[in-house]
Amino acid sequence: MTTEPNTEAIETPTPAEDSGSKARQMLGMKGAASGETNIWKIRLQLMKPITWIPLIWGVVCGAASSGHYEWTLENFLKSALCMLMSGPLLTGYTQTINDYYDREIDAINEPYRPIPSGAISIPQVVTQILVLLFGGIGVAYILDRWSGHEFPIITALAIGGSIVSYIYSAPPLKLKQNGWLGNYALGASYIALPWWAGQALFGTLTPTVAVVTLIYSLAGLGIAIVNDFKSVEGDRTLGLKSLPVMFGIGTAAWICVAMIDTFQIGIAGYLVSLHENLYASILGLLIIPQIVFQDMYFLRDPLKNDVKYQASAQPFLVLGMLVAGLAMGHAGI
């Protein structure tokens, strides 16, 4: 006796689901679908636009902490160009070179990614890396000339950040092989570097601001750990020492939230020492919902809820960065 297949029981993506999957694919998020053939969309997927947002926001925080930003057309255009450098160009470079050197890991964890799926060739990827790198450094040089810097500090930051991105992903150093060094390099790149660029663009990058933002980057280290949970299987297979691999899922989740909360609370305490009590209170209030979402989502199941946690909690973290920037600008440090 034979039976016809039950086609009603076969799950097929609805138009809405297919659209959502394509959107995740374009943004470079986990859970994307494969099958894209447009080379420019594939290139954009490699650049992971979802990761540009913290860098763009970091420029805003740096401009705020400079204490000298004024709402003029020229300043707006400078800011936009600095955001282009920090986000699409240099973060796009970082993400592309990371995918290039992670193609073996992605073949295990995310085989739908452009390189392991064969959607884009290796020479095309290398060309994209070089165009984004030199484009970002070129924009940095334009910003230095536009701002009249005697020393090209923004260009130096762009080159330094690009080197960090390279040694983060590429052998022999490959910082991401070490959970602590790699995640701190990522956290500093996402918080301190764009902050310094925005600060230098409209004011003076002081040693105090540099140190405070490097401390703030320890909270960014916690955010970087969140990204390790989605690749724990591939990391373990290839011997990469991410924190979830070294300490286990549960312990790594607690380390992650402790880093995120502790150093933000420390920055709030620093603002109190500057007598910026209002800003410190606002920052403290923004930490509370982060702790709530950590308990609701992340600590209960970091493998399942990592994206949901980031979407719900990270807006409060980035708003807190702006609050801290405004406080430092007001204090004139």
Side-chain angles (χ1 to χ4, degrees):
M1 179 180 177
T2 61
T3 58
E4 294 295 325
N6 183 2
T7 55
E8 293 183 358
I10 299 174
E11 293 186 3
T12 57
T14 66
E17 290 171 338
D18 184 63
S19 175
S21 183
K22 286 185 178 295
R24 289 194 298 273
Q25 181 181 9
M26 292 304 301
L27 292 172
M29 297 172 66
K30 184 175 75 171
S34 58
E36 182 59 65
T37 58
N38 184 300
I39 187 61
W40 296 107
K41 291 183 179 180
I42 293 168
R43 290 188 182 281
L44 186 62
Q45 185 185 355
L46 271 178
M47 295 162 63
K48 297 182 184 176
I50 193 70
T51 64
W52 304 348
I53 298 172
L55 282 292
I56 291 171
W57 190 255
V59 173
V60 176
C61 295
S65 69
S66 74
H68 298 292
Y69 184 86
E70 297 179 356
W71 287 100
T72 65
L73 177 60
E74 181 181 12
N75 284 346
F76 174 80
L77 293 175
K78 280 184 180 179
S79 301
L81 195 59
C82 193
M83 292 174 186
L84 172 67
M85 175 197 73
S86 299
L89 293 175
L90 292 181
T91 307
Y93 153 79
T94 299
Q95 296 297 341
T96 305
I97 199 170
N98 185 64
D99 268 24
Y100 174 80
Y101 284 107
D102 270 5
R103 54 193 185 274
E104 293 181 3
I105 298 176
D106 286 344
I108 299 171
N109 294 317
E110 300 176 275
Y112 53 80
R113 294 293 303 160
I115 299 176
S117 69
I120 187 169
S121 70
I122 295 300
Q124 287 174 312
V125 174
V126 172
T127 299
Q128 177 164 322
I129 289 169
L130 294 175
V131 168
L132 292 171
L133 171 61
F134 289 109
I137 294 172
V139 169
Y141 181 72
I142 291 170
L143 287 169
D144 278 319
R145 293 295 299 271
W146 194 350
S147 300
H149 293 155
E150 293 184 9
F151 175 78
I153 184 169
I154 299 177
T155 304
L157 290 172
I159 294 172
S162 300
I163 292 172
V164 171
S165 297
Y166 178 80
I167 64 175
Y168 172 80
S169 299
L173 293 178
K174 202 175 179 72
L175 295 180
K176 67 183 301 178
Q177 292 183 118
N178 182 296
W180 294 108
L181 283 177
N183 285 320
Y184 184 69
L186 196 61
S189 296
Y190 271 62
I191 293 179
L193 281 174
W195 192 311
W196 294 351
Q199 178 99 15
L201 188 60
F202 297 104
T204 302
L205 178 56
T206 65
T208 301
V209 169
V211 170
V212 170
T213 50
L214 285 173
I215 293 172
Y216 217 140
S217 297
L218 289 165
L221 186 157
I223 293 296
I225 296 171
V226 176
N227 295 322
D228 288 338
F229 287 92
K230 68 180 175 63
S231 57
V232 63
E233 180 183 345
D235 290 347
R236 185 180 290 116
T237 300
L238 296 177
L240 297 183
K241 296 181 179 179
S242 68
L243 267 66
V245 171
M246 289 193 293
F247 296 102
I249 300 298
T251 302
W254 276 103
I255 292 172
C256 174
V257 300
M259 298 294 290
I260 292 171
D261 299 339
T262 299
F263 289 98
Q264 287 184 90
I265 293 170
I267 294 296
Y270 173 68
L271 297 185
V272 171
S273 75
L274 296 177
H275 305 292
E276 299 292 342
N277 296 332
L278 175 60
Y279 290 108
S281 299
I282 295 171
L283 179 55
L285 290 173
L286 288 169
I287 296 170
I288 294 173
Q290 294 179 65
I291 294 174
V292 172
F293 287 124
Q294 286 164 357
D295 178 62
M296 285 177 58
Y297 297 133
F298 192 68
L299 291 174
R300 299 187 185 193
D301 193 340
L303 295 178
K304 179 181 178 181
N305 297 326
D306 58 339
V307 174
K308 185 181 293 185
Y309 165 68
Q310 287 180 311
S312 57
Q314 277 195 198
F316 296 98
L317 183 142
V318 297
L319 284 174
M321 288 170 54
L322 181 58
V323 170
L326 289 168
M328 288 188 280
H330 186 259
I333 65 169

